[in-house]
Amino acid sequence: MSSRFFRQCRLVVLAGVLATGCATTRTTGRGAVGVERDQTMLVSSAEVDRSAAKAYQETMREARSKNLLNRDPRQLERVRTVANRLIPATGAFRRDAPGWQWQVNVVSSRELNAWCMPGGKLAVYTGLIEQLQVTDDELAAVMGHEIAHALREHGREKASQAVGLNVAAALGGALIGAYLGIDSGLGQSMIGTVGDLAFMRPNSREMEQEADRIGVELAARAGYDPAAAISLWEKMGRVADGQPPQWLSTHPSHQSRIADLRIYVQRVQPLYLAARRSP
């Protein structure tokens, strides 16, 4: 047999090792809302956090160059005040989270948008604040939801899914190449395409539901009314003529979201009352 065949076989063996070397983990504690789904991770937290930190700095640098970063000191102070109450509450799900290198900024844009990159890199867009006229409780609902994505390491999970697809493509490409005696370059190009699609893919509905539930608990523990999550999504529906903004397109339907939130708002209500009683 040719040396090319043996090279292809070695690739198959390596891909097989990667495929079987994955591990399931629980990134967060259950909390009062009881989120406890195991996640398969093929990428390290450190690697994802480094990439996120770099991407965040580049995004903030671009916003600053266009004079779109933190233009209103009062608005920035308001967002950071909410963040500073939510961040300690993250310890209920992860002991390490309150000690992350958190960054919180406001970007001037008409988009109804907010996000939190892995490792605690937050951005809130002015369109969300101004068009919805959000209360502090509603702002906490948005930010709590986004922080929940970071706590659950949904970005790392999606990256791991991309790696898994790449491994599958590598296995298939190498096997076909070995059998036909052709170069596996085509398989490699397919790997890149599949990986790009996986990385660009939005959060799954399951991930979004987890973020909804953890988000209301974070808000409650921080002393913000968790029921504001319901009024927030109702506002979003009205502004978007009954349809959620594009960044929420993979969330559960409006009706099912509200029904689910009502259940979990009640579940975390004692935490909210306890936080309100605390000095």
Side-chain angles (χ1 to χ4, degrees):
M1 294 184 181
S2 68
S3 61
R4 176 176 294 170
F5 175 83
F6 286 110
R7 286 198 301 272
Q8 298 283 23
C9 285
R10 284 197 296 270
L11 177 58
V12 172
V13 172
L14 175 60
V17 169
L18 288 172
T20 57
C22 61
T24 58
T25 185
R26 290 192 180 182
T27 53
T28 60
R30 296 179 71 255
V33 292
V35 172
E36 54 183 348
R37 176 178 62 89
D38 286 347
Q39 298 161 276
T40 299
M41 300 298 193
L42 295 171
V43 183
S44 72
S45 291
E47 183 178 355
V48 172
D49 288 353
R50 280 194 300 270
S51 297
K54 181 179 179 181
Y56 187 80
Q57 293 307 320
E58 290 175 353
T59 302
M60 294 303 107
R61 189 181 304 114
E62 181 180 358
R64 186 180 293 107
S65 71
K66 297 178 180 178
N67 193 31
L68 299 176
L69 185 65
N70 301 329
R71 293 173 59 178
D72 185 335
R74 290 176 299 178
Q75 210 167 51
L76 176 62
E77 181 181 5
R78 182 187 179 199
V79 169
R80 287 183 172 173
T81 295
V82 173
N84 288 337
R85 285 174 57 176
L86 290 170
I87 289 169
T90 63
F93 291 93
R94 296 182 58 134
R95 293 181 182 178
D96 63 325
W100 287 353
Q101 297 300 307
W102 291 87
Q103 295 184 50
V104 183
N105 289 286
V106 177
V107 177
S108 294
S109 170
R110 288 187 57 80
E111 289 185 57
L112 302 179
N113 203 0
W115 41 264
C116 185
M117 287 185 177
K121 305 296 185 285
L122 264 163
V124 177
Y125 288 26
T126 56
L128 183 76
I129 300 171
E130 295 167 357
Q131 292 187 58
L132 297 185
Q133 293 293 299
V134 292
T135 65
D136 284 354
D137 292 318
E138 291 168 340
L139 186 57
V142 173
M143 294 171 66
H145 174 98
E146 297 306 322
I147 288 171
H149 281 306
L151 295 177
R152 289 289 291 161
E153 298 189 63
H154 286 151
R156 179 185 171 202
E157 187 176 7
K158 289 190 294 179
S160 296
Q161 291 168 352
V163 169
L165 288 170
N166 285 351
V167 168
L171 277 166
L175 285 169
I176 292 170
Y179 179 74
L180 298 178
I182 60 175
D183 189 83
S184 61
L186 177 61
Q188 292 300 318
S189 66
M190 290 175 61
I191 291 170
T193 301
V194 171
D196 288 342
L197 287 172
F199 279 118
M200 295 299 292
R201 192 171 52 190
N203 293 313
S204 69
R205 293 195 176 195
E206 186 173 38
M207 291 175 181
E208 295 292 357
Q209 189 174 71
E210 289 175 349
D212 277 351
R213 294 174 180 180
I214 291 175
V216 295
E217 180 166 344
L218 291 175
R221 289 182 179 277
Y224 291 107
D225 186 355
I230 297 171
S231 61
L232 171 76
W233 305 128
E234 289 173 341
K235 283 184 178 181
M236 284 187 173
R238 288 195 296 270
V239 168
D241 295 325
Q243 294 298 319
Q246 184 62 38
W247 66 289
L248 291 175
S249 61
T250 57
H251 282 225
S253 69
H254 183 72
Q255 293 81 5
S256 63
R257 170 193 296 282
I258 295 298
D260 192 71
L261 281 171
R262 290 191 191 282
I263 294 170
Y264 285 88
V265 163
Q266 288 301 312
R267 187 172 296 186
V268 302
Q269 193 69 14
L271 298 173
Y272 169 58
L273 296 176
R276 294 286 292 176
R277 289 194 295 267
S278 297

